[in-house]
Amino acid sequence: MTDMGQDGRVRYLIIGAGPAGLQLSYYLQRAGADYLTLEREQAPGGFFRRFPRHRRLISLNKVHTTEKDPEILLRWDWNSLLSDSSELTFPRYSQEYLPCADDLVRYLADFQREHALNVRYGTPVERVEKTGGDFLAHLAGGEVVRAECLIIATGWGGPNIPDIPGIELAMGYEDVPTSGEHFTDKRVLIIGKGNSAFETAHSMLGDAAIIHLASPSPVTLAWNTKHPGNVRGQYGALLDSYWFKTLHGVLECTVDRIWREGDAYKAAITYTLAEGEQALLEYDAVIRCTGFTMDTSLFGESCRPELTPSGRMPAIRPDFQSANVDGLYFAGTLMQARDFKRASSAFIDGFRYNLRTMAALLAERYESVPLDRQALPPDPGRLTATMLDRVNWSSALWTQFEYLCDAYVVDPDAGTVTHYQDLPEDYAAERFAGHPLCFTVTLRWGRDRHDDVFAIKRHPTPERAHESAFLHPVVRVWRHGEQVAERHLLEDLLAQWRDPVRHVAPLKEFLTGYL
């Protein structure tokens, strides 16, 4: 455990002890690093004490599989943090496929306690600033903690409130009653069409007279995009009720204005897919379910991070560092800007791997500890076997598809290939841009859109592997940071890419052309 010096200084300061803060704390502690984690609440996982409102997570917990390998099991365990302890896995806390958030809160508390992570609870940080190369965290009561490196793991700071006149009249998702009976016989407008909106609608489906979900864009279903943050299948009952004409509806529209008239709410809307048709609708309740946003009030002007165009999250470099503040890093859901709505950096099952990589990058920068690597001979057969072994086993590449990669850097003078694991692909392309040849290996989906995702025509020949719809390996070739070629390997129902004809031979032939 870190003891701060008389100047209140640590090398790494983590703000926030949710799952991301705890995961990074674990890796820093395991490395013997000088770190401290500060948490404003009295226990970890404050977000999950409040959300989701109806307490059912959308993160899967598939306990029963045919696999026994702990690494492969993590592909379907979306809630466990990574550690060397076989006892601290989430399936020991819940057997439910869609578990209760209370079980996650319990798990996080045990994870911190069992690993004796250096977390100070009940310690809100009022302001951070940067001066003389150090970050200063000002705590309540006047205490100041100095740090060389600052990691923000605070998660979402509050609701994202759209710019709609009268939006203050809407009830927020953060306050919505959890009993559907509260809305019995009422006409309800829910602004938003994400999982929180469908969760809220689902809870009152049999009670409310009319439920309308409204946003300018159509519903984005996870089974179309393969992104777990889009609307999930368990909320399909609302869509059924819409198409079966049971008064509920999904509206593609802008909500132009909301106001009260007597006991009712009026909403002026403009349809976005009906040539600008306008309507005036009346409701008994209006609920805002428009997501969350980052709280930037913590930052002084000397270290205020640049935000993404949406203004909801920080802009980050490929190494998870702030785009404009050196030494400021973001952990957890705040590190999703570079794979937004693509991989799983917004969720535990994705950012746990990001944080393992971040810990290694921090050790390299601040402790001069080189990244783990493996030297291989430039032999196409050996590289083929290594690449296929990794994609058939790694949960990081599986969960962080299209984002994390393995990099194989070829040194023709030394006659070696250096293998690095679990790097963001854009980071690898940038880091190894000085090399004449580099391969990256990721898992990728096919194109997003199909007329019917349950009736996709397949072409199961190696020459047409690039048309695969399911998750499959892709090898890319880079020369001096520029991609020059790629090879797809055929999809497989059980995600086992070892067939001598469909996988091994095509990959070996491809690699031979460059070695």
Side-chain angles (χ1 to χ4, degrees):
M1 182 175 290
T2 295
D3 291 320
M4 291 187 297
Q6 291 185 347
D7 61 351
R9 181 182 174 86
V10 293
R11 171 155 284 173
Y12 307 103
L13 179 63
I14 302 170
I15 300 180
L22 296 182
Q23 182 70 89
L24 185 57
S25 296
Y26 168 80
Y27 279 115
L28 293 179
Q29 179 148 308
R30 192 177 70 167
D34 175 26
Y35 82 98
L36 173 64
T37 300
L38 302 178
E39 167 56 48
R40 67 167 53 247
E41 300 194 22
Q42 299 297 331
F47 181 87
F48 292 100
R49 294 176 189 276
R50 298 182 289 275
F51 302 109
R53 287 289 294 153
H54 299 86
R55 309 310 293 147
R56 191 61 56 186
L57 298 173
I58 62 172
S59 48
L60 304 186
N61 181 46
K62 185 166 174 47
V63 177
H64 303 288
T65 77
T66 59
E67 294 288 347
K68 302 300 180 185
D69 189 317
E71 172 69 17
I72 296 178
L73 288 173
L74 283 167
R75 295 179 173 189
W76 308 295
D77 168 5
W78 290 10
N79 300 285
S80 289
L81 298 182
L82 304 178
S83 79
D84 294 328
S85 172
S86 60
E87 299 298 315
L88 279 171
T89 59
F90 185 77
R92 292 180 178 270
Y93 289 74
S94 173
Q95 297 281 301
E96 293 186 275
Y97 186 66
L98 294 172
C100 177
D102 297 333
D103 292 321
L104 180 59
V105 170
R106 207 162 43 88
Y107 168 73
L108 294 174
D110 285 354
F111 187 91
Q112 186 274 326
R113 183 174 57 255
E114 291 298 319
H115 290 298
L117 302 178
N118 191 27
V119 181
R120 282 177 54 181
Y121 293 109
T123 308
V125 178
E126 296 183 337
R127 188 177 80 261
V128 295
E129 56 185 353
K130 189 176 185 184
T131 179
D134 279 351
F135 291 92
L136 276 64
H138 297 267
L139 314 184
E143 183 182 358
V144 177
V145 178
R146 303 178 69 93
E148 189 174 352
C149 174
L150 178 64
I151 303 105
I152 303 297
T154 51
W156 295 123
N160 175 53
I161 301 177
D163 185 17
I164 299 172
I167 191 64
E168 69 279 359
L169 298 173
M171 179 187 305
Y173 169 71
E174 63 275 12
D175 298 316
V176 68
T178 56
S179 170
E181 295 178 357
H182 182 88
F183 299 97
T184 298
D185 292 329
K186 292 186 178 181
R187 302 159 296 175
V188 182
L189 172 64
I190 299 176
I191 302 174
K193 290 203 200 100
N195 280 304
S196 63
F198 275 85
E199 171 203 335
T200 302
H202 190 79
S203 72
M204 63 179 78
L205 198 58
D207 298 290
I210 294 175
I211 305 169
H212 286 166
L213 272 65
S215 76
S217 302
V219 175
T220 304
L221 298 171
W223 59 47
N224 283 323
T225 66
K226 297 91 173 175
H227 185 265
N230 291 132
V231 176
R232 303 289 289 281
Q234 64 260 37
Y235 298 131
L238 186 281
L239 297 177
D240 279 356
S241 69
Y242 177 30
W243 289 114
F244 294 154
K245 301 300 181 186
T246 58
L247 299 179
H248 305 319
V250 179
L251 313 181
E252 283 69 53
C253 68
T254 60
V255 178
D256 302 318
R257 187 164 70 95
I258 304 166
W259 68 96
R260 287 291 297 266
E261 282 191 12
D263 293 332
Y265 295 89
K266 296 292 184 72
I269 68 169
T270 301
Y271 290 102
T272 54
L273 299 179
E275 300 179 351
E277 177 189 3
Q278 295 184 320
L280 179 61
L281 303 175
E282 185 172 293
Y283 299 97
D284 301 301
V286 180
I287 302 173
R288 164 182 43 77
C289 295
T290 47
F292 297 90
T293 189
M294 176 185 178
D295 180 9
T296 60
S297 63
L298 178 68
F299 300 98
E301 289 302 320
S302 58
C303 61
R304 187 171 298 278
E306 180 182 317
L307 303 180
T308 59
S310 71
R312 294 177 58 191
M313 65 188 74
I316 60 173
R317 305 177 205 173
D319 62 352
F320 315 113
Q321 190 174 190
S322 167
N324 65 310
V325 181
D326 186 59
L328 174 61
Y329 292 78
F330 292 93
T333 196
L334 295 180
M335 66 197 318
Q336 65 175 292
R338 300 193 76 86
D339 67 322
F340 183 66
K341 295 293 184 182
R342 196 157 45 91
S344 293
S345 292
F347 305 95
I348 292 173
D349 65 307
F351 65 62
R352 62 191 178 190
Y353 300 107
N354 291 356
L355 292 170
R356 183 170 65 186
T357 297
M358 178 196 279
L361 295 177
L362 292 177
E364 182 180 52
R365 174 177 179 177
Y366 292 99
E367 320 282 351
S368 300
V369 177
L371 286 183
D372 284 344
R373 65 198 72 187
Q374 177 188 14
L376 301 170
D379 174 68
R382 175 71 181 277
L383 285 182
T384 295
T386 301
M387 290 177 179
L388 292 181
D389 283 346
R390 282 285 296 161
V391 295
N392 278 281
W393 182 74
S394 168
S395 289
L397 298 180
W398 173 280
T399 306
Q400 287 296 68
F401 53 83
E402 304 184 23
Y403 183 57
L404 293 184
C405 76
D406 277 9
Y408 298 80
V409 183
V410 180
D411 186 339
D413 295 329
T416 60
V417 178
T418 305
H419 175 204
Y420 299 85
Q421 297 182 5
D422 302 339
L423 299 177
E425 191 174 31
D426 55 357
Y427 174 81
E430 181 181 282
R431 176 172 178 138
F432 304 123
H435 294 264
L437 182 61
C438 175
F439 301 103
T440 58
V441 182
T442 61
L443 292 175
R444 295 183 179 274
W445 293 93
R447 62 185 175 90
D448 283 350
R449 301 295 176 183
H450 297 273
D451 292 337
D452 184 345
V453 295
F454 298 108
I456 299 172
K457 187 174 182 179
R458 297 173 57 245
H459 305 283
T461 60
E463 295 74 23
R464 301 186 69 170
H466 61 283
E467 299 177 37
S468 294
F470 192 58
L471 202 65
H472 63 283
V474 177
V475 180
R476 287 180 164 173
V477 183
W478 304 80
R479 293 194 184 278
H480 298 291
E482 297 294 328
Q483 183 188 335
V484 297
E486 68 180 24
R487 175 70 202 207
H488 294 243
L489 301 182
L490 272 173
E491 61 194 354
D492 180 85
L493 175 63
L494 299 179
Q496 295 175 1
W497 304 285
R498 295 190 185 276
D499 186 272
V501 175
R502 295 157 63 93
H503 305 123
V504 177
L507 178 54
K508 183 178 179 180
E509 180 183 8
F510 179 72
L511 295 175
T512 299
Y514 292 94
L515 295 172

mmCIF file of all heavy atoms in Angstrom, residues 332-354:
data_model
loop_
_atom_site.group_PDB
_atom_site.id
_atom_site.type_symbol
_atom_site.label_atom_id
_atom_site.label_comp_id
_atom_site.label_asym_id
_atom_site.label_seq_id
_atom_site.Cartn_x
_atom_site.Cartn_y
_atom_site.Cartn_z
ATOM 1 N N GLY A 332 -11.826 3.270 -18.059
ATOM 2 C CA GLY A 332 -13.215 2.834 -17.986
ATOM 3 C C GLY A 332 -14.042 3.354 -19.139
ATOM 4 O O GLY A 332 -13.562 3.531 -20.258
ATOM 5 N N THR A 333 -15.297 3.631 -18.878
ATOM 6 C CA THR A 333 -16.205 4.053 -19.940
ATOM 7 C C THR A 333 -15.767 5.352 -20.591
ATOM 8 O O THR A 333 -16.156 5.648 -21.726
ATOM 9 C CB THR A 333 -17.644 4.160 -19.394
ATOM 10 O OG1 THR A 333 -18.569 4.203 -20.484
ATOM 11 C CG2 THR A 333 -17.812 5.395 -18.518
ATOM 12 N N LEU A 334 -14.929 6.142 -19.898
ATOM 13 C CA LEU A 334 -14.445 7.395 -20.467
ATOM 14 C C LEU A 334 -13.340 7.178 -21.496
ATOM 15 O O LEU A 334 -12.870 8.144 -22.089
ATOM 16 C CB LEU A 334 -13.938 8.319 -19.352
ATOM 17 C CG LEU A 334 -14.988 8.809 -18.364
ATOM 18 C CD1 LEU A 334 -14.358 9.715 -17.312
ATOM 19 C CD2 LEU A 334 -16.129 9.539 -19.084
ATOM 20 N N MET A 335 -12.932 5.930 -21.731
ATOM 21 C CA MET A 335 -11.873 5.674 -22.708
ATOM 22 C C MET A 335 -12.440 5.100 -24.013
ATOM 23 O O MET A 335 -11.721 4.521 -24.816
ATOM 24 C CB MET A 335 -10.810 4.736 -22.121
ATOM 25 C CG MET A 335 -11.263 3.345 -21.829
ATOM 26 S SD MET A 335 -10.175 2.382 -20.690
ATOM 27 C CE MET A 335 -8.532 2.760 -21.216
ATOM 28 N N GLN A 336 -13.733 5.334 -24.283
ATOM 29 C CA GLN A 336 -14.383 4.708 -25.427
ATOM 30 C C GLN A 336 -14.365 5.543 -26.699
ATOM 31 O O GLN A 336 -14.883 5.110 -27.742
ATOM 32 C CB GLN A 336 -15.828 4.368 -25.084
ATOM 33 C CG GLN A 336 -16.716 5.597 -24.820
ATOM 34 C CD GLN A 336 -18.163 5.233 -24.598
ATOM 35 O OE1 GLN A 336 -18.856 4.788 -25.514
ATOM 36 N NE2 GLN A 336 -18.622 5.397 -23.360
ATOM 37 N N ALA A 337 -13.755 6.731 -26.691
ATOM 38 C CA ALA A 337 -13.886 7.629 -27.843
ATOM 39 C C ALA A 337 -13.330 7.022 -29.124
ATOM 40 O O ALA A 337 -13.857 7.271 -30.212
ATOM 41 C CB ALA A 337 -13.195 8.966 -27.551
ATOM 42 N N ARG A 338 -12.266 6.222 -29.023
ATOM 43 C CA ARG A 338 -11.616 5.726 -30.242
ATOM 44 C C ARG A 338 -12.286 4.474 -30.814
ATOM 45 O O ARG A 338 -11.999 4.085 -31.950
ATOM 46 C CB ARG A 338 -10.129 5.479 -29.988
ATOM 47 C CG ARG A 338 -9.390 6.739 -29.555
ATOM 48 C CD ARG A 338 -7.897 6.561 -29.606
ATOM 49 N NE ARG A 338 -7.394 6.603 -30.969
ATOM 50 C CZ ARG A 338 -7.073 7.719 -31.634
ATOM 51 N NH1 ARG A 338 -7.213 8.892 -31.044
ATOM 52 N NH2 ARG A 338 -6.605 7.657 -32.862
ATOM 53 N N ASP A 339 -13.158 3.845 -30.053
ATOM 54 C CA ASP A 339 -13.907 2.716 -30.605
ATOM 55 C C ASP A 339 -15.405 2.892 -30.322
ATOM 56 O O ASP A 339 -16.134 1.922 -30.126
ATOM 57 C CB ASP A 339 -13.396 1.387 -30.047
ATOM 58 C CG ASP A 339 -13.667 1.217 -28.560
ATOM 59 O OD1 ASP A 339 -13.564 2.211 -27.827
ATOM 60 O OD2 ASP A 339 -13.979 0.097 -28.127
ATOM 61 N N PHE A 340 -15.859 4.133 -30.333
ATOM 62 C CA PHE A 340 -17.229 4.460 -29.955
ATOM 63 C C PHE A 340 -18.230 3.690 -30.827
ATOM 64 O O PHE A 340 -18.149 3.713 -32.051
ATOM 65 C CB PHE A 340 -17.456 5.966 -30.100
ATOM 66 C CG PHE A 340 -18.820 6.419 -29.676
ATOM 67 C CD1 PHE A 340 -19.201 6.333 -28.349
ATOM 68 C CD2 PHE A 340 -19.720 6.930 -30.595
ATOM 69 C CE1 PHE A 340 -20.454 6.755 -27.936
ATOM 70 C CE2 PHE A 340 -20.978 7.347 -30.205
ATOM 71 C CZ PHE A 340 -21.341 7.259 -28.870
ATOM 72 N N LYS A 341 -19.139 2.991 -30.151
ATOM 73 C CA LYS A 341 -20.185 2.205 -30.808
ATOM 74 C C LYS A 341 -19.602 1.144 -31.742
ATOM 75 O O LYS A 341 -20.231 0.748 -32.728
ATOM 76 C CB LYS A 341 -21.142 3.118 -31.594
ATOM 77 C CG LYS A 341 -21.954 4.069 -30.737
ATOM 78 C CD LYS A 341 -22.948 3.338 -29.857
ATOM 79 C CE LYS A 341 -23.824 4.314 -29.088
ATOM 80 N NZ LYS A 341 -24.774 3.633 -28.191
ATOM 81 N N ARG A 342 -18.380 0.682 -31.423
ATOM 82 C CA ARG A 342 -17.758 -0.340 -32.270
ATOM 83 C C ARG A 342 -17.351 -1.518 -31.408
ATOM 84 O O ARG A 342 -17.990 -2.552 -31.429
ATOM 85 C CB ARG A 342 -16.561 0.286 -33.008
ATOM 86 C CG ARG A 342 -16.049 -0.513 -34.178
ATOM 87 C CD ARG A 342 -15.294 0.373 -35.180
ATOM 88 N NE ARG A 342 -14.366 1.295 -34.563
ATOM 89 C CZ ARG A 342 -13.084 1.042 -34.321
ATOM 90 N NH1 ARG A 342 -12.583 -0.142 -34.626
ATOM 91 N NH2 ARG A 342 -12.300 1.956 -33.782
ATOM 92 N N ALA A 343 -16.287 -1.378 -30.629
ATOM 93 C CA ALA A 343 -15.899 -2.431 -29.689
ATOM 94 C C ALA A 343 -16.557 -2.150 -28.333
ATOM 95 O O ALA A 343 -17.562 -1.438 -28.257
ATOM 96 C CB ALA A 343 -14.381 -2.517 -29.590
ATOM 97 N N SER A 344 -15.969 -2.676 -27.252
ATOM 98 C CA SER A 344 -16.662 -2.667 -25.959
ATOM 99 C C SER A 344 -15.954 -1.844 -24.890
ATOM 100 O O SER A 344 -16.060 -2.151 -23.705
ATOM 101 C CB SER A 344 -16.850 -4.111 -25.467
ATOM 102 O OG SER A 344 -17.730 -4.809 -26.293
ATOM 103 N N SER A 345 -15.237 -0.793 -25.276
ATOM 104 C CA SER A 345 -14.531 0.010 -24.277
ATOM 105 C C SER A 345 -15.462 0.724 -23.319
ATOM 106 O O SER A 345 -15.017 1.210 -22.278
ATOM 107 C CB SER A 345 -13.616 1.032 -24.970
ATOM 108 O OG SER A 345 -12.552 0.386 -25.634
ATOM 109 N N ALA A 346 -16.736 0.808 -23.642
ATOM 110 C CA ALA A 346 -17.697 1.432 -22.728
ATOM 111 C C ALA A 346 -18.101 0.502 -21.595
ATOM 112 O O ALA A 346 -18.735 0.945 -20.637
ATOM 113 C CB ALA A 346 -18.945 1.867 -23.502
ATOM 114 N N PHE A 347 -17.708 -0.774 -21.674
ATOM 115 C CA PHE A 347 -18.204 -1.788 -20.745
ATOM 116 C C PHE A 347 -17.049 -2.520 -20.077
ATOM 117 O O PHE A 347 -15.931 -2.566 -20.583
ATOM 118 C CB PHE A 347 -19.084 -2.792 -21.498
ATOM 119 C CG PHE A 347 -20.208 -2.151 -22.249
ATOM 120 C CD1 PHE A 347 -20.071 -1.838 -23.598
ATOM 121 C CD2 PHE A 347 -21.393 -1.837 -21.621
ATOM 122 C CE1 PHE A 347 -21.098 -1.227 -24.297
ATOM 123 C CE2 PHE A 347 -22.429 -1.232 -22.313
ATOM 124 C CZ PHE A 347 -22.288 -0.922 -23.653
ATOM 125 N N ILE A 348 -17.346 -3.130 -18.942
ATOM 126 C CA ILE A 348 -16.319 -3.842 -18.169
ATOM 127 C C ILE A 348 -15.603 -4.869 -19.027
ATOM 128 O O ILE A 348 -14.375 -4.990 -18.989
ATOM 129 C CB ILE A 348 -16.947 -4.516 -16.935
ATOM 130 C CG1 ILE A 348 -17.437 -3.472 -15.926
ATOM 131 C CG2 ILE A 348 -15.938 -5.457 -16.264
ATOM 132 C CD1 ILE A 348 -18.220 -4.053 -14.762
ATOM 133 N N ASP A 349 -16.367 -5.633 -19.822
ATOM 134 C CA ASP A 349 -15.734 -6.715 -20.581
ATOM 135 C C ASP A 349 -14.773 -6.202 -21.635
ATOM 136 O O ASP A 349 -13.928 -6.960 -22.133
ATOM 137 C CB ASP A 349 -16.797 -7.615 -21.223
ATOM 138 C CG ASP A 349 -17.621 -6.886 -22.270
ATOM 139 O OD1 ASP A 349 -18.165 -5.822 -21.951
ATOM 140 O OD2 ASP A 349 -17.732 -7.387 -23.401
ATOM 141 N N GLY A 350 -14.848 -4.915 -21.967
ATOM 142 C CA GLY A 350 -13.896 -4.335 -22.900
ATOM 143 C C GLY A 350 -12.797 -3.557 -22.212
ATOM 144 O O GLY A 350 -11.604 -3.783 -22.455
ATOM 145 N N PHE A 351 -13.176 -2.661 -21.298
ATOM 146 C CA PHE A 351 -12.134 -1.792 -20.734
ATOM 147 C C PHE A 351 -11.216 -2.517 -19.751
ATOM 148 O O PHE A 351 -10.132 -2.025 -19.446
ATOM 149 C CB PHE A 351 -12.696 -0.496 -20.150
ATOM 150 C CG PHE A 351 -13.601 -0.580 -18.954
ATOM 151 C CD1 PHE A 351 -13.174 -1.101 -17.738
ATOM 152 C CD2 PHE A 351 -14.888 -0.042 -19.008
ATOM 153 C CE1 PHE A 351 -13.993 -1.129 -16.620
ATOM 154 C CE2 PHE A 351 -15.731 -0.054 -17.899
ATOM 155 C CZ PHE A 351 -15.273 -0.612 -16.701
ATOM 156 N N ARG A 352 -11.607 -3.693 -19.268
ATOM 157 C CA ARG A 352 -10.676 -4.431 -18.400
ATOM 158 C C ARG A 352 -9.403 -4.782 -19.178
ATOM 159 O O ARG A 352 -8.293 -4.780 -18.610
ATOM 160 C CB ARG A 352 -11.338 -5.685 -17.837
ATOM 161 C CG ARG A 352 -11.776 -6.712 -18.862
ATOM 162 C CD ARG A 352 -12.652 -7.800 -18.259
ATOM 163 N NE ARG A 352 -13.099 -8.751 -19.293
ATOM 164 C CZ ARG A 352 -14.027 -9.672 -19.076
ATOM 165 N NH1 ARG A 352 -14.617 -9.775 -17.886
ATOM 166 N NH2 ARG A 352 -14.385 -10.497 -20.051
ATOM 167 N N TYR A 353 -9.536 -5.073 -20.462
ATOM 168 C CA TYR A 353 -8.355 -5.378 -21.287
ATOM 169 C C TYR A 353 -7.611 -4.100 -21.656
ATOM 170 O O TYR A 353 -6.377 -4.077 -21.687
ATOM 171 C CB TYR A 353 -8.774 -6.141 -22.538
ATOM 172 C CG TYR A 353 -9.449 -7.443 -22.221
ATOM 173 C CD1 TYR A 353 -10.818 -7.599 -22.400
ATOM 174 C CD2 TYR A 353 -8.733 -8.521 -21.708
ATOM 175 C CE1 TYR A 353 -11.454 -8.794 -22.096
ATOM 176 C CE2 TYR A 353 -9.359 -9.718 -21.390
ATOM 177 C CZ TYR A 353 -10.721 -9.848 -21.580
ATOM 178 O OH TYR A 353 -11.347 -11.028 -21.259
ATOM 179 N N ASN A 354 -8.358 -3.036 -21.951
ATOM 180 C CA ASN A 354 -7.705 -1.741 -22.193
ATOM 181 C C ASN A 354 -6.809 -1.360 -21.017
ATOM 182 O O ASN A 354 -5.700 -0.852 -21.198
ATOM 183 C CB ASN A 354 -8.742 -0.644 -22.390
ATOM 184 C CG ASN A 354 -9.532 -0.775 -23.678
ATOM 185 O OD1 ASN A 354 -9.277 -1.658 -24.488
ATOM 186 N ND2 ASN A 354 -10.501 0.104 -23.862
#
